[in-house]
Amino acid sequence: MSESQRWEDVDDYFTTLLAPADDALEAALRDSDAEGLPHINVAPNQGKLLQLLAQIQGARRILEIGTLGGYSTIWLGRALPADGRLITLEYDAKHADVARRNLARAGLDTITEVRTGPALESLPKLADENPAPFDLVFIDADKANNPHYVEWALRLTTTGSLIIVDNVVRGGAVSNANSTDPSIRGTRTALQLIADHPRLSGTAVQTVGSKGYDGFALARVVS
């Protein structure tokens, strides 16, 4: 058995036992695939982790940067109370349409909003609305702009809020200080920002599983 197959088998076991699929989640993946969306959604057990983190946080307001087909949005939205609010930002209009349909099918359309366009254009508009602080921000968009997304997350959160940055390992290449890859440079800069910023306390974790070798960063706003 290959190492990657072993990772997938363990993920399958964890998912079947602890994060079983339901009709809405399965349909979200099926419709995303049918529409040709890339297979870069979070794994089911990772989606369950996001949900648990939001529940532990007692989140009432969530911001997601990078929607894709709304699979992770469903997991996060299910953590919210009936009067909660989730705003998710998606660059691609086609992806956003798929996500809206998936969220409506999951019964989350009344508490979720998909905003379309480049996140670095949507975020200033969102800030201009002077929204209440977000309790959790999940960043899973273009990696080159991760530092900007972390900075905006800080502006839109408050003490005690949680910021999660996905896909920070880059197949292990994140440790290469000499990389010229924009995704790696952006990720390294975001991690350095988390390390240096006086308002943040964070860490990063490597993971293996059905999505291969990856990981995420987790930061708490401390002031």
Side-chain angles (χ1 to χ4, degrees), residues 1 9 36 200:
M1 179 186 295
D9 288 348
L200 290 174

Side-chain angles (χ1 to χ4, degrees), residues 26-102:
E26 288 183 342
L29 293 177
R30 183 176 61 248
D31 286 7
S32 295
D33 186 56
E35 292 291 340
L37 273 62
H39 297 169
I40 55 174
N41 51 275
V42 300
N45 53 345
Q46 295 167 344
K48 182 66 175 290
L49 175 61
L50 290 174
Q51 185 184 84
L52 287 168
L53 288 171
Q55 290 170 329
I56 293 167
Q57 183 71 2
R60 302 184 66 84
R61 292 178 52 81
I62 295 174
L63 173 63
E64 180 181 50
I65 303 175
T67 316
L68 196 62
Y71 182 75
S72 57
T73 321
I74 293 173
W75 282 107
L76 287 166
R78 287 176 169 177
L80 289 171
D83 61 347
R85 187 69 172 162
L86 189 157
I87 295 175
T88 181
L89 312 179
E90 173 54 43
Y91 175 83
D92 190 289
K94 177 181 178 181
H95 296 180
D97 286 342
V98 173
R100 291 187 186 100
R101 295 196 300 270
N102 287 333

Side-chain angles (χ1 to χ4, degrees), residues 154-183:
L154 268 171
R155 289 186 57 176
L156 293 166
T157 53
T158 190
T159 302
S161 295
L162 196 63
I163 301 170
I164 305 165
V165 186
D166 203 12
N167 307 128
V168 299
V169 171
R170 315 309 303 162
V174 70
S175 63
N176 181 7
N178 298 316
S179 175
T180 59
D181 184 320
S183 294

